[in-house]
Amino acid sequence: MNKKINEIVLAIDIGGTLTKLGLVNKNGEIQSSRLFKTGAKKPFSEFKNTLETEIHQLLSTLNSTHTIRAIGVGAPNANYKTGEMINPPNFKWGRLVPIKKTIRQLLDRPIQMTNDANAAALGELYFGAGKHMKNFVVLTLGTGLGSGIINEGKLIFGQYGMAGELGHVNVFSEGRQCNCGLKGCLETYASVTGIKRTVFELLASSNRDSILRNYSFEDLTGKDISEAAHKGDFVALEAFEQTAKILGSKMADTVAHLEPEAFILTGGLSQAGSLFLKPLKKSMEEALFNAYKGKIKILLSKSSSSEAILGPAALAWEGLIQN
């Protein structure tokens, strides 16, 4: 009797802190997974050695009925066309990091690669909240602000493979310094790092009591701010209000360009729930052109951080379908 072959893809999500690997089937079911510390501040050669070990460990869980068809990779500042991470912020791996070439040396399979937010958008399209939509924008509100744009059921890559960097549209021309080298980028306000900066500005300009005065900047997390807001903390609530006002306005600008059916939010900042969504929706609606008012949804992703590999997995499956 012939054995049934179970087709899977290898998905790799490279984050500034953790790298996640998984084997995923066509239905988005994770067969097995691993994670390890990325070591973004250490030499790239160390990452390469660890990645090789982890891939071998992951592949050892396979049986003879499984076959890996392709590899999908999501990484910061990853260029879809060149297969390189281009001057990624918060990494000490150099200006052009040959991720695709490195992985092909470890496992010779077709490889698709894009930035982490683009991969997240494909994950939502294939397996998540965007499964029944053709036009939507995913915003990853984590340490920075990433975005992926789905238009007519296709991910927008752009002429040079780097489209959809909404985190680097300008909010204030002489605003906060961004790690990218520009000033006033949206992600310096609408991200976990951005809202932390807002919290400390509010603490410095007010004498009101706040739970958040007990934290240093390094120790404060998005979860801490959310928990304080749920307890009615003035500074936390005001920080979410200000963040929502800025992000909502720029989402309205994006609507004018793309007219998406929805925005899907993921990442630490989205965990505040209605405390953030309510002022965000209000701000966006106030800034929308009349023709769009009341039509654009704001949704929360249902995927957990442990399911971040679903984005790169969707990228790999899409590459197989197209080719």
Side-chain angles (χ1 to χ4, degrees), residues 13 20 30 120 124 127-128 265-268 270-271 300-311:
D13 178 75
K20 300 164 187 174
I30 300 171
E124 296 295 342
F127 309 123
L265 309 185
T266 185
S270 67
Q271 294 173 4
L300 293 178
S301 172
K302 297 176 183 177
S303 298
S304 65
S305 61
S306 63
E307 295 172 316
I309 54 175
L310 291 180

Side-chain angles (χ1 to χ4, degrees), residues 117 120-122 124 136-140 146-150 262-266:
L122 277 177
E124 296 295 342
F136 61 89
V137 178
V138 170
L139 299 177
T140 59
S147 55
I149 301 168
I150 302 294
F263 288 91
I264 301 173
L265 309 185
T266 185

Side-chain angles (χ1 to χ4, degrees), residues 167-220:
H168 298 286
V169 299
N170 189 263
V171 177
F172 304 113
S173 60
E174 293 300 321
R176 295 172 177 173
Q177 182 66 52
C178 183
N179 284 338
C180 76
L182 298 173
K183 284 188 175 182
C185 290
L186 180 59
E187 79 166 34
T188 67
Y189 298 90
S191 63
V192 173
T193 305
I195 198 171
K196 285 169 61 175
R197 293 170 79 167
T198 301
V199 162
F200 277 83
E201 287 175 1
L202 289 168
L203 290 172
S205 63
S206 170
N207 292 322
R208 294 186 63 167
D209 290 338
S210 172
I211 302 167
L212 302 179
R213 291 191 186 278
N214 299 323
Y215 294 88
S216 68
F217 187 88
E218 291 300 322
D219 291 337
L220 185 63

